[in-house]
Amino acid sequence: MSPTPKKNRTARRVLAGVAGLATFGALAVAAPAAVGAQDGPDRGHPTPRTVDVQLLSFNDLHGNLEPPAGSSGNVNEIQADGSVKAVPAGGVEYLASSLRTARKGNPYSITAAAGDMVGASPLLSGLFHDEPTVEALNKIDLDVSAVGNHEFDEGSAELTRLQNGGCHPTAGCFEEGKEFQGADFPYLAANATYEKSGKPVLKPYTVWKKDGVKVGFIGVTLEGTPNIVTAEGVKGLKFHDEIETVNKYAKELDRQGVKSIVALIHEGGAPASTSYNYDCDSPGPGDGISGPIVDIAKGITPKVDALVTGHTHQAYACTVPDPAGNDRMVTSASSFGKVYTDTTLTYDLRTKDIVRTKVKSANHVVSRAQAKAQDMTDLITRWNKTAAPIAGAPQGYISADINGRGSGTLEQPLGNLIADAQLAGTSPADKGGAQLAFMNPGGIRSDLVYAASGGEGDGVVTYGEAFTVQPFTNMMNVVDLTGAQVITALQQQVSGSNAASPKILQVSKGFTYTLDLTKTGADRIVTDSVKLNGEALDPAKTYRVAMNEFLGGGGDGFPALGEGKNKLVGASDLDLFNAYLAANSTATTPLAPPAMDRITVIQ
């Protein structure tokens, strides 16, 4: 069945398609005229030299339609006295309200995103292959988004379906009589091409137009996407250098007369503070930020006027010099819809370019104190009704919050619990005979929260909550690794591709070692401290090690884990997690947060 034709949007802008890509037509949308002096001489006013274009942006929504639970739903805010306060934020009901309020009084307003709108989503979106999130983004009037690595979780064909619409090839249509319409904003994938044809998976760029104002957008994901997505998700694809790709298409846009250009880049940095309102231009421009985006920003052509970034789930608005030495705004808006960025781009109507010295950006909290957007509430209610029979099923009981992604520590209580569940499910001889288990920290998407999320009662872990913690449904692998390979894997947490941003594996009970952060690279692992059940790991001995298939393929910069032999494929990580909750907790004997005694950290 072919997708139902989409309705024209009655929004306030025009998105023109890519010139030269015949398969992508222009999306023309009627827009109201500007007001006041910007109406031009036809109303008796002199034509202004410049107009202010508002750019609203966010990133890494990950299908969080409902407010994220626990510490994952907080943003840090620096107070006037220098103290830091955790502020509850996020949820599309509030994000929609924030964006709609911000647009008022701004006749030239664009809303853009820097990728990972979907993927690794809570059950409300993930159960339906993220169709609810795309629907919400359409209603929010998102104008354009780059793809992120998680847009490739289910492969390029599924990404194309999210763009163009149509029911899921195996799950079918989720609502009777309705066919998924797809995204009515363009997803941009300039640096993701098909290996055979060399053509981009989706459009590389688009141009926003209104009343003679033209702003080009180029969208890229990080070049390292294949290292953090399952092999099946990026099969047949090639990912190119971010700088080279953006510069290539910026030159193309420039030749077309598009002088104002914004790059949407799903790669990011690490500010010196996790507070959204931290001044990362102190003491000097860009001094307070580090990470991959800094070098990328310094290499992208001065033709690009601003960089909207993501991936690291951090909030920042910094100036980083371009290759000509001029400061340029680089922004990111945390994650899960908790923050949005408001950037003013002053557009020169004669040169058709942005006046770079006047560009200003600021991050704002998506406060839960404001009124909810009713259309988002209705959307959530409708999809929750469809998900309810599955989502509300109890899986186990906990005595307190068990923090994962929101813990802020290298060893996470929820990481320990997940690793223990994986070991328990794979240790029987007929299930793999595992002796230890590793869990990648990026696969832990939220916290387990004691307070009830619905009518299940406090301390009850529902299927929906467990799914939100582990939404990928990766199959478990048990493999043979030598002690030397295990130690190498530990060293790869803090060296190689993970040197700049360590990825600390979560480990099962009985496995212990010391991490010395006063040293650098692989030396941070104290090799003679690595023990299994109190005995030093023998480099020459073979051990049975459990991990999800993503790690088993060497993902996240762990090639040593991809060297395993005698692989046994078991149940999914989610199934093992739920089985562990059921077997080890009751209403009267709930699970307590595991002790944090497996990784000794020296700082």
Side-chain angles (χ1 to χ4, degrees):
M1 183 183 294
S2 62
T4 304
K6 300 176 191 174
K7 296 183 293 183
N8 286 331
R9 292 177 66 174
T10 56
R12 63 210 175 286
R13 67 268 187 229
V14 173
L15 281 168
V18 181
L21 291 181
T23 55
F24 299 104
L27 175 60
V29 187
V35 296
Q38 293 168 344
D39 289 347
D42 58 320
R43 296 195 182 183
H45 298 290
T47 301
R49 175 66 187 261
T50 63
V51 295
D52 282 345
V53 177
Q54 179 190 55
L55 175 61
L56 302 176
S57 57
F58 59 99
N59 51 276
D60 295 275
L61 180 63
H62 290 289
N64 279 264
L65 300 178
E66 296 176 296
S71 56
S72 295
N74 293 333
V75 293
N76 289 333
E77 181 179 75
I78 299 173
Q79 305 300 295
D81 63 359
S83 62
V84 175
K85 177 182 177 182
V87 180
V92 295
E93 295 162 298
Y94 304 108
L95 178 61
S97 290
S98 289
L99 295 176
R100 290 165 182 170
T101 299
R103 289 173 189 145
K104 291 178 180 178
N106 291 282
Y108 297 88
S109 185
I110 312 168
T111 303
D116 277 7
M117 294 295 97
V118 301
S121 305
L123 184 136
L124 179 60
S125 186
L127 186 63
F128 307 108
H129 296 272
D130 283 310
E131 290 181 16
T133 295
V134 173
E135 180 186 348
L137 293 171
N138 289 343
K139 289 179 181 293
I140 283 175
D141 285 342
L142 180 63
D143 286 308
V144 57
S145 180
V147 295
N149 54 287
H150 282 286
E151 265 83 13
F152 292 94
D153 282 347
E154 296 187 48
S156 60
E158 173 62 3
L159 172 56
T160 301
R161 186 186 77 89
L162 289 179
Q163 176 73 87
N164 298 329
C167 294
H168 192 271
T170 57
C173 297
F174 295 113
E175 294 183 293
E176 188 174 350
K178 291 185 180 180
E179 186 174 27
F180 176 55
Q181 297 296 294
D184 58 12
F185 55 89
Y187 259 124
L188 305 181
N191 67 330
T193 62
Y194 293 107
E195 284 182 338
K196 290 184 178 180
S197 68
K199 294 181 179 179
V201 173
L202 292 171
K203 293 166 61 171
Y205 61 82
T206 194
V207 180
W208 182 94
K209 297 179 180 180
K210 180 180 176 181
D211 297 344
V213 174
K214 296 190 293 185
V215 182
F217 288 87
I218 304 166
V220 296
T221 185
L222 68 157
E223 184 182 9
T225 289
N227 299 323
I228 52 177
V229 174
T230 59
E232 192 63 28
V234 294
K235 187 176 181 180
L237 304 180
K238 188 173 181 179
F239 293 81
H240 304 269
D241 181 82
E242 303 95 337
I243 297 173
E244 292 176 4
T245 302
V246 172
N247 289 352
K248 169 187 172 182
Y249 287 112
K251 186 180 295 185
E252 189 169 316
L253 283 167
D254 185 65
R255 284 199 300 265
Q256 295 175 18
V258 179
K259 305 297 183 181
S260 300
I261 303 172
V262 175
L264 306 175
I265 305 175
H266 191 71
E267 178 60 292
S273 167
T274 59
S275 296
Y276 80 91
N277 56 342
Y278 162 69
D279 181 7
C280 52
D281 283 334
S282 178
D287 284 347
I289 187 169
S290 60
I293 199 61
V294 176
D295 288 337
I296 292 172
K298 289 179 178 178
I300 286 179
T301 173
K303 294 180 188 298
V304 174
D305 298 295
L307 278 60
V308 175
T309 73
H311 187 56
T312 57
H313 292 204
Q314 301 299 311
Y316 47 82
C318 307
T319 53
V320 177
D322 66 16
N326 298 317
D327 287 342
R328 178 169 54 192
M329 289 304 307
V330 179
T331 68
S332 179
S334 185
S335 64
F336 301 168
K338 295 182 292 187
V339 171
Y340 73 93
T341 309
D342 191 335
T343 298
T344 299
L345 301 172
T346 299
Y347 185 92
D348 189 313
L349 292 167
R350 297 183 194 174
T351 66
K352 307 298 183 184
D353 206 350
I354 300 298
V355 183
R356 185 88 67 77
T357 55
K358 292 183 178 293
V359 175
K360 296 177 292 184
S361 297
N363 280 324
H364 302 276
V365 174
V366 176
S367 170
R368 295 186 203 167
Q370 65 187 308
K372 298 178 181 180
Q374 187 60 50
D375 57 340
M376 294 295 116
T377 302
D378 294 343
L379 180 149
I380 290 170
T381 300
R382 193 180 93 240
W383 284 104
N384 263 329
K385 185 176 179 181
T386 306
I390 297 172
Q395 304 299 308
Y397 303 85
I398 57 176
S399 63
D401 288 357
I402 303 181
N403 290 332
R405 200 167 187 85
S407 67
T409 55
L410 297 178
E411 180 182 351
Q412 304 171 11
L414 187 51
N416 287 353
L417 178 60
I418 291 171
D420 288 349
Q422 293 181 351
L423 179 61
T426 58
S427 60
D430 61 339
K431 303 295 183 184
Q435 297 166 276
L436 66 141
F438 288 138
M439 175 63 192
N440 56 308
I444 304 168
R445 305 306 300 184
S446 69
D447 304 332
L448 271 187
V449 179
Y450 177 78
S453 58
E456 76 277 9
D458 291 345
V460 180
V461 180
T462 65
Y463 184 88
E465 291 166 341
F467 185 98
T468 297
V469 168
Q470 290 197 277
F472 299 107
T473 318
N474 279 316
M475 306 309 291
M476 289 301 301
N477 291 176
V478 184
V479 299
D480 285 347
L481 288 172
T482 65
Q485 288 171 316
V486 169
I487 291 172
T488 298
L490 295 179
Q491 293 171 331
Q492 288 168 351
Q493 299 176 113
V494 289
S495 64
S497 62
N498 293 328
S501 182
K503 291 186 176 73
I504 305 303
L505 296 166
Q506 305 300 289
V507 300
S508 54
K509 190 172 185 178
F511 188 83
T512 57
Y513 70 96
T514 296
L515 177 65
D516 188 348
L517 296 180
T518 65
K519 298 181 179 179
T520 59
D523 289 340
R524 289 179 164 183
I525 303 300
V526 181
T527 54
D528 59 6
S529 73
V530 183
K531 297 179 179 179
L532 179 61
N533 299 322
E535 293 186 6
L537 211 66
D538 184 344
K541 186 177 177 180
T542 296
Y543 298 88
R544 293 290 284 169
V545 184
M547 66 196 81
N548 61 44
E549 61 187 338
F550 171 63
L551 279 179
D556 259 356
F558 291 99
L561 297 181
E563 297 170 359
K565 297 179 180 179
N566 298 322
K567 180 170 68 175
L568 183 145
V569 179
S572 75
D573 50 9
L574 180 59
D575 286 344
L576 292 189
F577 186 53
N578 285 331
Y580 187 84
L581 290 171
N584 293 276
S585 68
T586 66
T588 55
T589 57
L591 274 172
M596 304 272 279
D597 57 1
R598 304 176 190 185
I599 305 173
T600 300
V601 180
I602 300 174
Q603 293 181 317

